[in-house]
């Protein structure tokens, strides 16, 4: 049974902004073209939005550059208050924002609400950071003169975001950029632009001046962003998305040495030692695997469990995943929505087929669900062959492969045998082991006896091919500031 009415769905879609947002104005694409937005749970079209052109993207950068000087000179307290009002408006409108997100992205309404709260937390956190940007003053070690360092906004930014967390991946960038005094062009994923337009509308209502935040949507991401990389006015690019696209963008950014932040793919290991609290490990495994239908860069991608407890762990995880209701995100009690599109669903199905072909046993799931919508059943696989593709590839779906290890060295080697290094999860009750393993894992983040690490007050980011730069925490704003050193002869 639906927990929202068809009239509610119609209202949020009808009233959602659908045009490009440039210089504080909503406008159609310069080509007049539009882009269809699909409901992944029904495959029906929800609406269409403007399909921007390279000329529109340049107009957005023009607007960002026109606004840059005034915005950099706006008192930090004013920037902070605008962010604070945005945070409040997001929470006041959380129900409608969540419904819009569920319609375009598919996740259950409860998860969309949780994302709005999480996304708004970045705005609140950076409203608090805006007034805490400072520098340093020190004596030259040789005693002659003084050394002054100051922090200044880095300048106009290009922010590119994915579809899996349509609002939070935006606020992690927009919050610190606004706080630092930067202006920006945002390019959301083509599947989920409505959430980003809604955010731009809220921030404008909260008092953000025209031109500070500009939003461009397009079905041709590469073509619309390319001229921006060639433009000497662009000073910063922050990207969240897949590693292959991240590498491509790095090449483009290298032409003008544009400063980059890269939040890329993951392949998170979830290690369960024989001394772990198994109840807690299973409970947290469900969160680490199933949050966002598994479509998360920090999703547990592979479970490595000590051989003495692996069967028990797999059986308990199977029981939990088997009872998770699959369906449209607007339906009562649904915990697993559709995947974002047909190609993502086929990729997940292909990885499961590969693992099964190499000997994996299907404990539950293992198949598509229904004829309409991109649903895939929550799946647990055991007896995983070491050469199964899903141990190497980011699954991005509700599939949990359970592999085994014999000892600690074995577990660490398995966890680190990937080009990715975003996050790992470790379950043990032995404090010495906890620290040994934490220090040995090549990751930017680690959940110790926890299946969720995301927090606006903490630095989110990876190492190796999961990228560089940090979002959130005191580190987050540094990505949008440049340091100027002044040698003083007093
Ligand atoms: P994606 O295909 O890399 O796309 C991400 C964004 O880049 C979208 O806005 C996309 O636009 C745009 N894009 C694609 N090609 C481009 C090009 N040539 N030039 C400029 N922009 C381009 O990734 P996705 O499938 O949306 O997202 C899933 C990936 O994101 C996963 O790998 C996941 O791990 C990663 N992710 C990482 C983090 C993190 O913090 N580390 C967080 C969330 C997700 P279009 O939509 O038009 O293609």
């Amino acid at each position: 049974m639906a927990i929202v009415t068809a009239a509610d769905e119609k209202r949020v879609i009808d009233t959602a902004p659908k045009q490009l947002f440039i210089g504080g104005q909503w406008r159609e694409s310069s080509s007049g073209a539009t882009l269809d937005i699909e409901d992944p749970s029904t495959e029906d079209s929800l609406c269409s939005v403007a399909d921007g052109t390279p000329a529109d993207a340049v107009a957005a950068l023009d607007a960002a550059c026109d606004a840059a000087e005034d915005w950099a000179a706006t008192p930090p307290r004013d920037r902070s208050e605008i962010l604070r009002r945005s945070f409040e408006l997001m929470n006041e409108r959380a129900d409608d924002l969540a419904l819009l997100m569920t319609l375009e992205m598919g996740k259950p309404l409860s998860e969309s609400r949780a994302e709005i709260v999480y996304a708004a937390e970045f705005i609140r956190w950076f409203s608090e950071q805006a007034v805490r940007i400072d520098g340093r003053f020190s004596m030259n070690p040789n005693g002659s003169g003084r050394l002054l360092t100051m922090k200044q906004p880095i300048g106009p930014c290009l922010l590119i975001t994915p579809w899996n967390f349509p609002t939070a991946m935006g606020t992690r960038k927009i919050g610190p950029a606004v706080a630092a005094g930067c202006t920006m062009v945002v390019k959301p994923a083509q599947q989920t632009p409505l959430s980003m337009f809604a955010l731009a509308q809220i921030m404008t209502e909260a008092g953000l001046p025209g031109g500070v935040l500009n939003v461009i949507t397009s079905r041709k991401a590469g073509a619309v962003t390319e001229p921006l990389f060639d433009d000497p006015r662009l000073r910063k690019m922050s990207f969240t998305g897949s590693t292959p696209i991240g590498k491509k963008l790095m090449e483009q950014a290298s032409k003008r040495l544009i400063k980059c932040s890269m939040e890329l793919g993951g392949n998170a290991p979830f290690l369960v030692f024989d001394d772990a609290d198994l109840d807690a490990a299973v409970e947290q495994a469900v969160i680490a695997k199933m949050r966002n239908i598994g479509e998360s860069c920090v999703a547990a991608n592979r479970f490595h469990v000590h051989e003495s407890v692996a069967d028990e762990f797999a059986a308990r995880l199977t029981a939990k995943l088997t009872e998770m209701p699959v369906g449209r995100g607007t339906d009562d009690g649904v915990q697993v929505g559709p995947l974002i599109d047909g190609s993502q669903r086929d990729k997940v199905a292909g990885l499961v087929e590969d693992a099964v072909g190499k000997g994996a046993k299907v404990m539950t799931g293992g198949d598509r669900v229904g004829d309409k919508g991109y649903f895939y059943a929550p799946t647990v696989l055991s007896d995983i062959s070491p050469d199964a593709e899903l141990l190497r590839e980011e699954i991005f779906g509700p599939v949990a492969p359970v592999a085994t290890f014999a000892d600690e060295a074995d577990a660490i080697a398995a966890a680190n045998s990937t080009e990715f290094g975003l996050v790992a999860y470790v379950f043990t009750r032995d404090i010495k082991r906890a620290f040994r393993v934490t220090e040995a894992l090549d990751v930017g983040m680690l959940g110790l006896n926890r299946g969720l690490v995301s927090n606006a007050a903490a630095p989110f980011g990876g190492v190796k091919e999961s990228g560089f730069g940090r979002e959130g925490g005191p580190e987050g704003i540094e990505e949008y500031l440049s340091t100027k050193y002044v040698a003083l002869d007093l």
Side-chain angles (χ1 to χ4, degrees):
M1 200 184 70
I3 43 180
V4 289
T5 63
D8 285 332
E9 290 187 21
K10 186 172 177 328
R11 176 179 54 77
V12 298
I13 292 293
D14 286 351
T15 55
K18 302 177 188 72
Q19 294 169 306
L20 309 176
F21 189 57
I22 300 175
Q25 306 291 322
W26 297 98
R27 38 164 130 152
E28 293 301 345
S29 160
S30 55
S31 70
T34 57
L35 162 66
D36 242 23
I37 308 302
E38 186 188 44
D39 177 342
S41 65
T42 60
E43 302 179 37
D44 292 335
S45 168
L46 287 168
C47 61
S48 55
V49 302
D51 180 12
T53 64
D56 294 323
V58 171
L61 183 60
D62 289 343
C65 294
D66 289 347
E69 201 178 318
D70 281 355
W71 185 240
T74 300
R77 178 62 69 200
D78 294 358
R79 302 201 296 256
S80 167
E81 294 294 333
I82 291 168
L83 287 169
R84 178 73 201 194
R85 277 196 295 280
S86 304
F87 159 77
E88 280 158 10
L89 285 174
M90 285 177 78
N91 281 305
E92 273 168 32
R93 299 191 194 156
D95 284 347
D96 279 0
L97 292 171
L99 178 53
L100 194 62
M101 185 184 296
T102 288
L103 291 173
E104 66 176 347
M105 188 276 171
K107 69 180 84 177
L109 262 183
S110 57
E111 289 207 48
S112 294
R113 279 203 198 92
E115 181 179 336
I116 295 300
V117 171
Y118 172 55
E121 277 306 319
F122 284 97
I123 298 288
R124 171 158 70 173
W125 174 264
F126 288 108
S127 78
E128 292 155 354
Q129 296 299 100
V131 291
R132 288 179 177 74
I133 299 166
D134 51 24
R136 249 184 7 244
F137 180 78
S138 59
M139 187 189 281
N140 185 340
N142 71 11
S144 73
R146 300 293 180 268
L147 316 179
L148 173 71
T149 55
M150 57 173 76
K151 297 288 173 81
Q152 293 178 301
I154 193 161
C157 308
L158 170 61
L159 312 178
I160 304 178
T161 59
W163 47 263
N164 62 340
F165 292 97
T167 306
M169 297 304 99
T171 57
R172 292 204 310 196
K173 301 180 191 304
I174 296 166
V178 167
C182 294
T183 60
M184 66 214 76
V185 177
V186 182
K187 211 298 292 167
Q190 61 178 292
Q191 289 102 328
T192 55
L194 299 173
S195 295
M196 187 58 71
F197 285 143
L199 178 66
Q201 187 180 44
I202 280 180
M203 294 188 77
T204 303
E205 252 182 86
L208 195 69
V212 175
L213 166 64
N214 305 277
V215 185
I216 290 288
T217 49
S218 172
R219 68 173 82 237
K220 294 198 183 85
V224 294
T225 53
E226 196 177 354
L228 306 189
F229 285 103
D230 292 331
D231 193 315
R233 298 173 300 170
L234 185 74
R235 304 300 293 277
K236 161 88 192 172
M237 196 268 301
S238 177
F239 172 72
T240 299
S242 61
T243 296
I245 300 291
K247 288 180 182 175
K248 209 166 159 174
L249 294 175
M250 279 284 293
E251 270 179 43
Q252 285 181 266
S254 72
K255 283 188 290 186
R256 308 200 68 88
L257 294 179
I258 291 163
K259 181 175 169 173
C260 295
S261 304
M262 290 280 169
E263 297 286 347
L264 308 178
N267 179 2
F270 189 107
L271 307 184
V272 183
F273 287 93
D274 50 355
D275 57 32
D277 173 343
L278 218 54
D279 287 334
V282 171
E283 190 188 307
Q284 296 295 308
V286 174
I287 296 169
K289 177 74 256 181
M290 298 303 291
R291 175 171 170 250
N292 220 46
I293 323 155
E295 293 173 314
S296 163
C297 54
V298 287
N301 205 55
R302 50 202 168 102
F303 293 84
H304 296 281
V305 185
H306 189 266
E307 56 198 13
S308 66
V309 290
D311 287 349
E312 178 67 19
F313 176 85
R316 291 205 215 170
L317 187 62
T318 299
K320 293 271 189 202
L321 264 57
T322 305
E323 66 194 21
M324 292 182 86
V326 178
R328 190 161 191 251
T330 50
D331 285 355
D332 198 11
V334 161
Q335 291 178 355
V336 185
L339 296 174
I340 190 71
D341 56 26
S343 69
Q344 185 58 31
R345 193 219 14 222
D346 294 347
K347 178 189 162 195
V348 171
L351 287 171
V352 171
E353 275 160 33
D354 169 77
V356 171
K358 290 171 179 161
K361 188 169 138 202
V362 180
M363 308 276 292
T364 187
D367 218 342
R368 299 163 169 84
V369 177
D371 305 325
K372 273 274 179 193
Y374 308 115
F375 297 98
Y376 197 87
T379 298
V380 178
L381 303 175
S382 65
D383 300 346
I384 304 293
S385 159
D387 64 346
E389 284 296 318
L390 45 52
L391 294 182
R392 275 185 294 278
E393 278 242 358
E394 192 175 29
I395 302 171
F396 243 54
V399 176
V402 182
T404 59
F405 64 81
D407 58 29
E408 193 179 300
D410 205 12
I412 291 169
N416 282 341
S417 68
T418 168
E419 70 272 27
F420 296 108
L422 191 57
V423 65
Y425 303 94
V426 176
F427 284 74
T428 176
R429 280 189 278 211
D430 177 342
I431 184 81
K432 289 185 181 167
R433 165 175 281 158
F435 274 88
R436 268 197 315 272
V437 176
T438 296
E439 288 180 7
L441 294 182
D442 289 334
V443 288
M445 300 176 286
L446 192 136
L448 191 52
N449 297 317
R450 278 186 63 105
L452 183 66
V453 295
S454 306
N455 189 321
F460 190 106
V463 298
K464 293 161 75 180
E465 293 192 24
S466 290
F468 48 83
R470 292 294 179 267
E471 294 191 322
E475 291 83 354
I477 200 163
E478 293 297 326
E479 306 283 323
Y480 297 90
L481 293 168
S482 62
T483 300
K484 187 178 281 172
Y485 148 59
V486 187
L488 301 176
D489 189 356
L490 301 176

